[in-house]
Amino acid sequence: MSRVAIPATEDRAQLGIAMMLAAWFFFSLIDTSVKWLVLAGLPALQLAFMRYFAHFFLSTALVLRGGADLERFKTTHLGWVMFRAYLLTASTALNFVALIYLPLTVTAAIMFTSPIWTCLLAWPMLGERAGPWRIFGIVMGFAGVLVVMRPFGAEFHWAMLLPLHNALALALYSIITRKLSGVVATETMQFYMGAFGTAALLPFAIWQWVNPANVMDWVIMVLLGVWGWAGHELLTRAHRFAAANTLMPYAYSFLIFLSISSYLIWGHIPDGYTMLGAAIITGSGLLIWARERRRAL
Protein backbone atom coordinates (compact mmCIF):
# COMPACT_ATOMS: atom_id res chain seq x y z
CA MET A 1 0.00 0.00 0.00
CA SER A 2 1.03 3.59 -0.56
CA ARG A 3 2.18 5.57 2.52
CA VAL A 4 0.18 8.64 1.38
CA ALA A 5 -3.48 8.78 2.38
CA ILE A 6 -5.90 7.82 -0.42
CA PRO A 7 -9.07 9.98 -0.44
CA ALA A 8 -12.47 8.33 -0.67
CA THR A 9 -14.58 8.50 -3.83
CA GLU A 10 -17.60 10.82 -4.05
CA ASP A 11 -20.62 10.89 -6.35
CA ARG A 12 -20.20 14.36 -7.97
CA ALA A 13 -20.37 13.70 -11.70
CA GLN A 14 -20.53 17.34 -12.82
CA LEU A 15 -17.32 18.16 -10.96
CA GLY A 16 -15.62 15.09 -12.42
CA ILE A 17 -16.66 16.08 -15.96
CA ALA A 18 -15.42 19.66 -15.43
CA MET A 19 -12.07 18.32 -14.20
CA MET A 20 -11.85 16.00 -17.20
CA LEU A 21 -12.44 18.86 -19.64
CA ALA A 22 -9.86 21.02 -17.83
CA ALA A 23 -7.33 18.18 -17.93
CA TRP A 24 -7.62 17.76 -21.70
CA PHE A 25 -7.44 21.53 -22.16
CA PHE A 26 -4.09 21.52 -20.33
CA PHE A 27 -2.91 18.62 -22.51
CA SER A 28 -3.89 20.61 -25.62
CA LEU A 29 -1.80 23.51 -24.33
CA ILE A 30 1.19 21.18 -24.10
CA ASP A 31 0.90 19.87 -27.66
CA THR A 32 0.24 23.33 -29.09
CA SER A 33 3.19 24.82 -27.20
CA VAL A 34 5.53 22.01 -28.21
CA LYS A 35 4.56 22.47 -31.85
CA TRP A 36 5.33 26.19 -31.46
CA LEU A 37 8.69 25.54 -29.79
CA VAL A 38 9.95 22.81 -32.13
CA LEU A 39 9.15 25.06 -35.09
CA ALA A 40 11.25 27.70 -33.29
CA GLY A 41 14.18 25.27 -33.34
CA LEU A 42 14.10 23.73 -29.85
CA PRO A 43 14.86 19.96 -29.68
CA ALA A 44 11.85 17.73 -28.96
CA LEU A 45 13.64 15.70 -26.24
CA GLN A 46 14.75 18.89 -24.47
CA LEU A 47 11.08 19.92 -24.29
CA ALA A 48 10.09 16.45 -23.06
CA PHE A 49 12.67 16.80 -20.27
CA MET A 50 11.31 20.19 -19.25
CA ARG A 51 7.79 18.78 -19.20
CA TYR A 52 8.87 16.18 -16.58
CA PHE A 53 11.36 18.35 -14.68
CA ALA A 54 8.71 20.86 -13.59
CA HIS A 55 6.30 17.97 -12.97
CA PHE A 56 8.90 16.34 -10.70
CA PHE A 57 9.45 19.55 -8.73
CA LEU A 58 5.72 20.08 -8.13
CA SER A 59 4.93 16.47 -7.27
CA THR A 60 7.86 16.27 -4.83
CA ALA A 61 6.66 19.41 -3.08
CA LEU A 62 3.17 17.94 -2.72
CA VAL A 63 4.40 14.65 -1.28
CA LEU A 64 6.59 16.55 1.20
CA ARG A 65 3.85 18.93 2.34
CA GLY A 66 2.90 16.47 5.06
CA GLY A 67 6.49 16.14 6.30
CA ALA A 68 9.92 15.03 5.11
CA ASP A 69 9.42 11.40 6.16
CA LEU A 70 10.88 9.12 3.46
CA GLU A 71 8.08 6.63 4.16
CA ARG A 72 5.80 8.94 2.17
CA PHE A 73 7.69 8.06 -1.01
CA LYS A 74 7.33 4.29 -0.57
CA THR A 75 4.87 1.93 -2.20
CA THR A 76 4.66 -1.85 -2.32
CA HIS A 77 3.71 -1.62 -6.01
CA LEU A 78 6.88 0.14 -7.17
CA GLY A 79 7.36 -2.07 -10.24
CA TRP A 80 3.92 -1.25 -11.65
CA VAL A 81 4.28 2.43 -10.73
CA MET A 82 7.63 2.68 -12.54
CA PHE A 83 6.39 0.79 -15.61
CA ARG A 84 3.41 3.17 -15.73
CA ALA A 85 5.86 6.12 -15.60
CA TYR A 86 7.96 4.59 -18.39
CA LEU A 87 4.93 4.22 -20.67
CA LEU A 88 3.92 7.85 -20.27
CA THR A 89 7.49 9.15 -20.62
CA ALA A 90 8.06 7.19 -23.83
CA SER A 91 4.75 8.27 -25.34
CA THR A 92 5.39 11.93 -24.41
CA ALA A 93 8.87 11.99 -25.94
CA LEU A 94 7.77 10.28 -29.16
CA ASN A 95 4.70 12.51 -29.41
CA PHE A 96 6.94 15.59 -29.22
CA VAL A 97 9.07 14.14 -32.03
CA ALA A 98 5.95 13.45 -34.11
CA LEU A 99 4.83 17.06 -33.70
CA ILE A 100 7.91 18.18 -35.65
CA TYR A 101 6.48 16.58 -38.78
CA LEU A 102 2.71 16.25 -38.35
CA PRO A 103 -0.24 18.59 -37.76
CA LEU A 104 -1.73 18.59 -34.26
CA THR A 105 -5.01 17.12 -35.47
CA VAL A 106 -3.34 14.15 -37.15
CA THR A 107 -1.34 13.12 -34.07
CA ALA A 108 -4.40 13.56 -31.85
CA ALA A 109 -6.68 11.54 -34.15
CA ILE A 110 -4.29 8.59 -34.29
CA MET A 111 -3.57 8.70 -30.54
CA PHE A 112 -7.31 8.51 -29.84
CA THR A 113 -7.21 4.87 -30.83
CA SER A 114 -6.00 4.39 -27.25
CA PRO A 115 -9.50 3.42 -25.92
CA ILE A 116 -9.68 0.86 -28.73
CA TRP A 117 -6.35 -0.65 -27.73
CA THR A 118 -7.52 -0.61 -24.10
CA CYS A 119 -10.60 -2.61 -25.05
CA LEU A 120 -8.47 -5.05 -27.04
CA LEU A 121 -5.91 -5.53 -24.24
CA ALA A 122 -8.49 -5.75 -21.44
CA TRP A 123 -9.23 -9.36 -22.41
CA PRO A 124 -5.73 -10.84 -21.83
CA MET A 125 -4.77 -8.42 -19.02
CA LEU A 126 -8.01 -7.96 -17.07
CA GLY A 127 -10.09 -10.92 -18.22
CA GLU A 128 -12.73 -8.63 -19.77
CA ARG A 129 -14.05 -10.42 -22.86
CA ALA A 130 -15.06 -8.36 -25.88
CA GLY A 131 -18.50 -9.09 -27.31
CA PRO A 132 -19.51 -8.74 -30.99
CA TRP A 133 -20.32 -5.01 -30.73
CA ARG A 134 -17.02 -4.19 -29.04
CA ILE A 135 -15.13 -6.24 -31.63
CA PHE A 136 -16.94 -4.26 -34.33
CA GLY A 137 -15.91 -1.04 -32.55
CA ILE A 138 -12.27 -2.18 -32.54
CA VAL A 139 -12.31 -2.99 -36.26
CA MET A 140 -14.08 0.30 -36.98
CA GLY A 141 -11.42 2.23 -35.03
CA PHE A 142 -8.56 0.69 -36.97
CA ALA A 143 -10.38 1.48 -40.21
CA GLY A 144 -10.44 5.12 -39.06
CA VAL A 145 -6.69 5.00 -38.48
CA LEU A 146 -6.12 3.79 -42.05
CA VAL A 147 -8.23 6.68 -43.34
CA VAL A 148 -6.12 9.21 -41.39
CA MET A 149 -2.74 7.61 -42.16
CA ARG A 150 -3.36 6.54 -45.78
CA PRO A 151 -0.40 4.14 -45.51
CA PHE A 152 -0.16 3.45 -49.25
CA GLY A 153 -0.56 7.02 -50.45
CA ALA A 154 1.76 9.98 -50.93
CA GLU A 155 0.34 11.62 -47.78
CA PHE A 156 1.78 8.90 -45.51
CA HIS A 157 4.65 10.01 -43.29
CA TRP A 158 6.75 7.64 -41.18
CA ALA A 159 6.12 9.88 -38.12
CA MET A 160 2.49 8.67 -38.15
CA LEU A 161 3.77 5.41 -36.66
CA LEU A 162 4.84 7.28 -33.51
CA PRO A 163 1.34 8.31 -32.32
CA LEU A 164 0.17 4.77 -33.15
CA HIS A 165 2.82 3.45 -30.76
CA ASN A 166 1.83 6.10 -28.24
CA ALA A 167 -1.82 5.03 -28.40
CA LEU A 168 -0.79 1.49 -27.45
CA ALA A 169 1.45 2.80 -24.65
CA LEU A 170 -1.37 4.97 -23.29
CA ALA A 171 -3.74 2.00 -23.38
CA LEU A 172 -1.33 0.01 -21.21
CA TYR A 173 -0.92 3.10 -19.01
CA SER A 174 -4.71 3.29 -18.60
CA ILE A 175 -5.02 -0.39 -17.67
CA ILE A 176 -2.21 -0.14 -15.11
CA THR A 177 -3.77 3.02 -13.66
CA ARG A 178 -7.03 1.09 -13.23
CA LYS A 179 -5.13 -1.68 -11.43
CA LEU A 180 -3.45 0.84 -9.10
CA SER A 181 -6.54 2.99 -8.48
CA GLY A 182 -7.46 2.94 -4.79
CA VAL A 183 -4.17 1.18 -3.99
CA VAL A 184 -1.52 3.83 -4.71
CA ALA A 185 -2.19 7.51 -3.95
CA THR A 186 -2.26 10.07 -6.76
CA GLU A 187 0.64 12.02 -5.20
CA THR A 188 2.82 8.91 -5.13
CA MET A 189 2.15 8.04 -8.78
CA GLN A 190 2.72 11.66 -9.80
CA PHE A 191 6.05 11.75 -7.95
CA TYR A 192 7.44 8.63 -9.61
CA MET A 193 6.18 9.75 -13.01
CA GLY A 194 8.09 13.04 -12.69
CA ALA A 195 11.18 11.36 -11.25
CA PHE A 196 11.38 8.71 -13.98
CA GLY A 197 10.77 11.17 -16.83
CA THR A 198 13.34 13.64 -15.49
CA ALA A 199 16.05 11.00 -14.99
CA ALA A 200 15.45 9.25 -18.32
CA LEU A 201 15.41 12.42 -20.42
CA LEU A 202 18.16 14.40 -18.66
CA PRO A 203 21.04 12.97 -20.78
CA PHE A 204 19.19 13.86 -24.01
CA ALA A 205 18.46 17.37 -22.72
CA ILE A 206 22.13 17.97 -21.84
CA TRP A 207 23.29 16.62 -25.21
CA GLN A 208 20.83 18.62 -27.33
CA TRP A 209 20.20 21.73 -25.21
CA VAL A 210 19.32 24.94 -27.10
CA ASN A 211 18.41 28.14 -25.25
CA PRO A 212 15.05 29.66 -26.25
CA ALA A 213 15.36 32.81 -28.33
CA ASN A 214 13.16 35.02 -26.15
CA VAL A 215 11.50 35.32 -22.73
CA MET A 216 8.12 34.10 -23.96
CA ASP A 217 9.60 30.85 -25.24
CA TRP A 218 11.39 30.36 -21.88
CA VAL A 219 8.10 30.82 -20.05
CA ILE A 220 6.24 28.43 -22.35
CA MET A 221 8.98 25.81 -21.98
CA VAL A 222 8.80 25.96 -18.17
CA LEU A 223 5.00 25.85 -18.24
CA LEU A 224 5.05 22.53 -20.12
CA GLY A 225 5.67 20.71 -16.86
CA VAL A 226 3.14 22.77 -14.92
CA TRP A 227 0.43 22.01 -17.48
CA GLY A 228 1.44 18.33 -17.57
CA TRP A 229 1.29 18.01 -13.79
CA ALA A 230 -2.04 19.88 -13.61
CA GLY A 231 -3.56 17.79 -16.40
CA HIS A 232 -2.66 14.45 -14.84
CA GLU A 233 -3.66 15.66 -11.38
CA LEU A 234 -7.11 16.64 -12.68
CA LEU A 235 -7.44 13.51 -14.83
CA THR A 236 -6.66 11.21 -11.91
CA ARG A 237 -8.78 13.08 -9.38
CA ALA A 238 -11.75 13.29 -11.76
CA HIS A 239 -12.21 9.54 -11.23
CA ARG A 240 -12.90 10.24 -7.55
CA PHE A 241 -16.09 12.06 -8.51
CA ALA A 242 -17.39 10.14 -11.53
CA ALA A 243 -17.10 6.68 -13.04
CA ALA A 244 -14.76 6.09 -15.97
CA ASN A 245 -17.77 5.28 -18.19
CA THR A 246 -19.17 8.74 -17.44
CA LEU A 247 -15.89 10.57 -18.07
CA MET A 248 -14.60 8.79 -21.17
CA PRO A 249 -16.57 10.66 -23.91
CA TYR A 250 -15.26 14.02 -22.69
CA ALA A 251 -11.70 13.01 -23.59
CA TYR A 252 -12.60 13.74 -27.22
CA SER A 253 -12.69 17.44 -26.32
CA PHE A 254 -8.92 17.21 -26.89
CA LEU A 255 -9.52 17.02 -30.65
CA ILE A 256 -11.70 20.13 -30.49
CA PHE A 257 -9.16 22.09 -28.42
CA LEU A 258 -6.32 21.17 -30.81
CA SER A 259 -8.36 21.96 -33.91
CA ILE A 260 -9.09 25.44 -32.53
CA SER A 261 -5.49 26.20 -31.53
CA SER A 262 -4.12 24.79 -34.80
CA TYR A 263 -6.42 27.05 -36.79
CA LEU A 264 -5.90 30.19 -34.66
CA ILE A 265 -2.08 29.95 -34.61
CA TRP A 266 -1.15 28.35 -37.94
CA GLY A 267 -4.36 28.66 -39.95
CA HIS A 268 -4.39 24.88 -40.38
CA ILE A 269 -7.68 23.24 -41.33
CA PRO A 270 -7.72 19.40 -41.29
CA ASP A 271 -8.26 17.85 -44.72
CA GLY A 272 -11.32 15.76 -45.47
CA TYR A 273 -9.59 12.41 -44.88
CA THR A 274 -8.30 13.49 -41.47
CA MET A 275 -11.73 14.71 -40.43
CA LEU A 276 -13.42 11.54 -41.71
CA GLY A 277 -10.88 9.27 -40.02
CA ALA A 278 -11.14 11.23 -36.76
CA ALA A 279 -14.94 10.90 -36.90
CA ILE A 280 -14.69 7.13 -37.44
CA ILE A 281 -12.18 6.74 -34.58
CA THR A 282 -14.33 8.88 -32.28
CA GLY A 283 -17.43 6.92 -33.26
CA SER A 284 -15.72 3.59 -32.56
CA GLY A 285 -14.55 4.82 -29.15
CA LEU A 286 -18.05 5.99 -28.27
CA LEU A 287 -19.51 2.67 -29.44
CA ILE A 288 -17.14 0.76 -27.15
CA TRP A 289 -17.97 3.19 -24.33
CA ALA A 290 -21.73 2.70 -24.85
CA ARG A 291 -21.44 -1.10 -24.73
CA GLU A 292 -19.31 -0.99 -21.56
CA ARG A 293 -21.74 1.47 -19.95
CA ARG A 294 -24.71 -0.74 -20.83
CA ARG A 295 -22.95 -3.81 -19.42
CA ALA A 296 -22.20 -1.94 -16.18
CA LEU A 297 -25.90 -1.02 -15.60
Side-chain angles (χ1 to χ4, degrees):
M1 296 292 289
S2 171
R3 271 51 172 192
V4 179
I6 302 172
T9 58
E10 302 177 41
D11 185 12
R12 301 172 64 185
Q14 289 184 333
L15 177 58
I17 291 169
M19 295 174 77
M20 191 76 165
L21 291 171
W24 286 105
F25 175 70
F26 280 125
F27 294 147
S28 73
L29 288 179
I30 293 174
D31 277 22
T32 303
S33 299
V34 168
K35 183 74 174 178
W36 174 275
L37 293 173
V38 294
L39 290 177
L42 298 186
L45 295 183
Q46 172 184 323
L47 299 176
F49 166 76
M50 289 300 298
R51 178 255 179 272
Y52 284 100
F53 178 70
H55 184 130
F56 175 59
F57 178 82
L58 289 168
S59 57
T60 302
L62 281 177
V63 173
L64 289 174
R65 66 182 174 179
D69 185 358
L70 291 179
E71 288 292 313
R72 298 177 61 79
F73 293 93
K74 293 183 179 179
T75 174
T76 55
H77 297 79
L78 184 60
W80 282 113
V81 169
M82 293 299 286
F83 183 53
R84 175 181 179 272
Y86 157 75
L87 289 170
L88 192 65
T89 300
S91 64
T92 299
L94 293 178
N95 182 49
F96 286 10
V97 173
L99 288 172
I100 299 173
Y101 307 101
L102 303 175
L104 294 170
T105 48
V106 171
T107 59
I110 297 172
M111 283 184 66
F112 262 100
T113 58
S114 182
I116 302 165
W117 286 108
T118 300
C119 181
L120 189 64
L121 294 171
W123 186 354
M125 296 186 69
L126 299 175
E128 299 177 2
R129 290 180 175 269
W133 279 104
R134 290 209 291 172
I135 292 174
F136 175 73
I138 292 169
V139 174
M140 178 180 168
F142 288 123
V145 171
L146 293 177
V147 172
V148 174
M149 294 178 64
R150 285 160 277 175
F152 304 110
E155 297 83 0
F156 176 76
H157 193 287
W158 64 266
M160 291 179 176
L161 298 175
L162 299 181
L164 196 59
H165 161 275
N166 297 344
L168 177 58
L170 290 175
L172 289 170
Y173 170 88
S174 175
I175 290 173
I176 292 171
T177 300
R178 284 163 62 180
K179 292 172 72 74
L180 297 176
S181 179
V183 179
V184 180
T186 301
E187 291 89 343
T188 305
M189 289 192 283
Q190 288 273 55
F191 166 76
Y192 283 105
M193 185 190 302
F196 183 92
T198 300
L201 294 168
L202 177 60
F204 298 100
I206 294 174
W207 176 44
Q208 297 184 329
W209 188 269
V210 174
N211 285 326
N214 53 63
V215 174
M216 185 179 77
D217 287 355
W218 270 107
V219 171
I220 293 174
M221 187 173 70
V222 172
L223 284 175
L224 292 176
V226 177
W227 291 329
W229 170 85
H232 283 282
E233 189 78 8
L234 288 166
L235 190 69
T236 304
R237 293 185 183 276
H239 289 79
R240 282 182 51 207
F241 303 107
N245 280 337
T246 300
L247 297 173
M248 183 268 175
Y250 296 94
Y252 290 104
S253 62
F254 184 60
L255 282 168
I256 299 173
F257 293 141
L258 284 184
S259 297
I260 293 171
S261 65
S262 187
Y263 174 73
L264 291 177
I265 298 175
W266 294 286
H268 178 260
I269 299 175
D271 63 28
Y273 283 103
T274 300
M275 294 177 68
L276 175 61
I280 295 172
I281 292 168
T282 301
S284 67
L286 292 176
L287 175 62
I288 292 170
W289 162 79
R291 298 303 297 179
E292 290 186 347
R293 184 179 178 86
R294 182 177 177 180
R295 189 178 63 172
L297 294 177

